[in-house]
Amino acid sequence: MKKKYSVLMSVYAKEKPEYLQEAIESMLEQTVMPDEFVIVKDGVLSRRAGFGD
């Protein structure tokens, strides 16, 4: 049975959208590609971050 590799990331409403982009790019550049990303938002994110309400 293949092991599943997941990445959990919390995104805070007051952080710059650039930080989210950098974090996702970093995860995609890892040696072991995750099977899934779980991104949890804390509060309302701006549209610039790429998330709607």
Side-chain angles (χ1 to χ4, degrees):
M1 185 162 121
K2 182 184 173 214
K3 292 185 180 182
K4 189 172 185 179
Y5 176 59
S6 302
V7 174
L8 174 63
M9 183 171 79
S10 180
V11 179
Y12 298 98
K14 295 184 181 182
E15 287 186 7
K16 294 182 181 180
E18 297 83 25
Y19 295 161
L20 174 60
Q21 181 177 350
E22 288 178 29
I24 292 172
E25 288 173 357
S26 176
M27 288 186 280
L28 292 172
E29 294 172 358
Q30 298 301 308
T31 305
V32 177
M33 181 63 70
D35 294 300
E36 67 180 355
F37 294 113
V38 179
I39 300 175
V40 179
K41 73 175 191 165
D42 176 21
V44 178
L45 299 176
S46 72
R47 292 249 183 239
R48 292 184 344 172
F51 291 94
D53 293 321

